[in-house]
Amino acid sequence: MSRKADLLAVPDASGHFGEYGGRYVPETLVAPLEELAAEFAKAQKDPAFQHELKEMRRDFTGRPTPLYFAERLTQHCGGAKIYLKREDLLHTGAHKINNALGQVILARRMGKRRIIAETGAGQHGVATATMAARYGMECIIYMGEEDMRRQALNVTRMRLLGAKVVGVTAGQKTLKEAVNEAMRDWVTNVRTTHYVLGTAYGAHPYPYMVREFHKVIGEEARAQLMEREEKLPDVICACVGGGSNAIGIFYAFLNDQKVRLVGVEAGGEGIQPGRHAARFQGGKLGVLQGSKSFLLQNEDGQIELTHSVSAGLDYAAVGPEHCHLKEIGRAEYTYATDDEALAAFSNLGRIEGILPALETAHAVAFAMKEAPKMEKDQILLVNLSGRGDKDVNEAARFLLKA
Ligand SMILES: *Cc1c(COP(=O)(O)O)cnc(C)c1O
């Protein structure tokens, strides 16, 4: 087999990307996950499913998203041409709806009537509540009470869309605890219920399925860039929480070895225990919530506290495909700090008229550091994963101190 075929041919049948991923779950979830994997495989080969997905992408969520040449940012940085893939222009404001759309159509096909999901910053909850409303399904969103307080606007959006938002009071009252609650619900109600997991993480088939629903980002960007520039980008960067928007834009380029792929994690207040969420800086191999991957944990294997100014990157584990891509040297992973992300948020607003999500601002921060080191005829492609409306209060607190 050629090296070329190897890179796209993951995961294997057991859901492993190299040694990462897999299915580490209680016995009661094995059969439902197997059923989900089988139904997804059938759906992918079914023209009716693909047709519905295509029409809904075009007419409801708004694909293809534009590829935008950021001319003023390019001039400001003084190096490579910077292009932005505008996932922020999708319905509900981020890439997350690519996955929610696919999974809700799949759930309906499987005869499920009830949709559940976890959410951190609330973007995945809003995307799922939106798709559940569109298909007339009952929707329950689990969310840590601390996140409900920090992301009150998204809680209101979900409720207005008809979803029930259930506050989770365990532990740090954030995303990790919300995932546990959603898994508990799924075990109990699996006959009627589909769990829409929100990133390229968790037990097989989720990391694979979520990538398949997001890979359209890179496929479009590749075609759009070939049309505009008649060549591939030199560098592609994306922020990495669980890793769904990053793998979504990377996947179509995995076989193009000359294209440098860079994932940007949350460096928070700097790389010290409890002050960041950069799993590839100081993380160790472990198992959390169904998947083997890099985790921020202490000597005893206890999950460490994490911190980031962006709730969507604030998680102790990273998706297994990224662990694999790092290990084989196909992708690199760096980080941006809270301060760098806030500066990038401000710069993109003032220079290009685009307020990005704080998550996305981490990728923009990297781009602004990297572009000046590159030649003027080179191309740097940034995945603009979401818009900043949800973050204006938080950003104003730091940036508009009179
Ligand atoms: C949720 C979110 C992220 C992080 O999730 P990934 O699965 O790593 O993409 C990044 N950007 C935005 C706008 C988000 O809402």
Side-chain angles (χ1 to χ4, degrees):
M1 208 193 293
S2 71
R3 182 177 167 82
K4 201 171 170 154
D6 286 343
L7 282 181
L8 298 185
V10 286
D12 63 17
S14 64
H16 283 89
F17 303 81
E19 71 171 301
Y20 307 100
R23 186 182 279 161
Y24 298 84
V25 292
E27 195 119 17
T28 42
L29 279 181
V30 172
L33 287 164
E34 275 172 0
E35 187 201 356
L36 181 60
E39 290 293 329
F40 177 58
K42 262 194 261 167
Q44 274 191 306
K45 291 193 212 102
D46 181 352
F49 179 82
Q50 293 303 332
H51 180 75
E52 185 170 6
L53 194 57
K54 198 168 148 197
E55 295 225 309
M56 285 295 286
R57 279 174 174 170
R58 188 192 62 208
D59 299 340
F60 189 75
T61 65
R63 300 211 74 92
T65 59
L67 180 75
Y68 170 67
F69 173 47
E71 192 176 354
R72 293 219 328 132
L73 188 68
T74 297
Q75 278 167 9
H76 176 89
C77 294
K81 293 175 90 166
I82 302 172
Y83 276 91
L84 308 177
K85 180 61 174 159
R86 299 290 309 272
E87 294 295 294
D88 62 313
L89 294 178
L90 285 171
H91 185 37
T92 69
H95 70 290
K96 295 246 164 52
I97 201 153
N98 297 326
N99 172 48
L101 167 65
Q103 286 201 44
V104 168
I105 299 178
L106 181 65
R108 207 170 58 129
R109 241 178 98 94
M110 291 173 71
K112 312 277 178 173
R113 301 183 302 275
R114 187 170 170 272
I115 293 295
I116 61 170
E118 85 295 341
T119 198
Q123 284 303 112
H124 175 58
V126 168
T128 303
T130 297
M131 293 320 314
R134 166 60 183 77
Y135 283 99
M137 293 162 92
E138 185 188 351
C139 183
I140 317 276
I141 305 292
Y142 290 97
M143 189 168 187
E145 287 205 333
E146 175 59 19
D147 286 336
M148 286 178 74
R149 188 188 59 73
R150 290 193 289 191
Q151 306 289 334
L153 173 68
N154 275 342
V155 174
T156 306
R157 289 170 83 193
M158 289 183 262
R159 288 185 170 148
L160 289 171
L161 287 159
K164 185 173 163 202
V165 182
V166 178
V168 178
T169 54
Q172 239 186 311
K173 303 181 191 174
T174 59
L175 181 59
K176 178 159 62 69
E177 292 79 21
V179 174
N180 286 339
E181 249 348 271
M183 300 231 303
R184 210 163 291 151
D185 179 319
W186 201 38
V187 172
T188 316
N189 301 299
V190 67
R191 211 173 42 78
T192 59
T193 301
H194 175 69
Y195 174 20
V196 182
L197 207 148
T199 186
Y201 189 70
H204 181 61
Y206 282 106
Y208 162 61
M209 181 168 68
V210 173
R211 178 195 78 201
E212 291 296 299
F213 287 136
H214 282 301
K215 71 180 184 188
V216 64
I217 303 171
E219 289 169 354
E220 282 177 10
R222 200 174 198 285
Q224 288 166 322
L225 209 52
M226 287 308 285
E227 198 182 304
R228 291 272 283 271
E229 294 274 354
E230 293 179 351
K231 62 177 182 176
L232 295 177
D234 295 275
V235 179
I236 303 176
C237 69
C239 64
V240 181
S244 69
N245 88 86
I247 199 65
I249 199 162
F250 290 174
Y251 190 72
F253 298 89
L254 286 183
N255 284 334
D256 305 301
Q257 295 281 351
K258 283 196 191 131
V259 179
R260 236 181 104 199
L261 305 175
V262 183
V264 187
E265 296 184 283
E269 293 168 357
I271 307 303
Q272 282 164 30
R275 301 318 311 155
H276 70 102
R279 290 68 41 105
F280 290 123
Q281 314 286 329
K284 290 193 289 276
L285 190 61
V287 172
L288 180 67
Q289 294 173 331
S291 188
K292 190 190 274 186
S293 80
F294 267 77
L295 310 179
L296 291 169
Q297 53 190 337
N298 69 16
E299 310 267 281
D300 303 326
Q302 294 283 89
I303 299 306
E304 258 167 14
L305 298 183
T306 52
H307 163 81
S308 170
V309 68
S310 65
L313 303 184
D314 195 354
Y315 186 62
V318 60
E321 190 160 8
H322 289 290
C323 300
H324 176 60
L325 291 174
K326 176 174 161 59
E327 185 167 288
I328 64 174
R330 180 62 192 94
E332 8 173 340
Y333 296 85
T334 181
Y335 62 90
T337 62
D338 286 354
D339 287 347
E340 289 171 325
L342 284 161
F345 178 99
S346 173
N347 276 319
L348 198 67
R350 287 163 185 246
I351 297 171
E352 287 290 351
I354 299 170
L355 293 175
L358 280 173
E359 292 81 8
T360 313
H362 288 70
V364 176
F366 169 80
M368 293 187 69
K369 272 191 279 188
E370 195 64 17
K373 301 182 201 161
M374 296 170 65
E375 302 297 330
K376 285 200 158 75
D377 63 349
Q378 290 190 300
I379 295 171
L380 196 168
L381 170 62
V382 185
N383 197 14
L384 220 70
S385 58
R387 66 178 91 124
D389 305 24
K390 69 184 175 57
D391 295 317
V392 293
N393 288 336
E394 187 73 353
R397 207 156 66 80
F398 290 101
L399 298 172
L400 300 181
K401 279 180 271 190

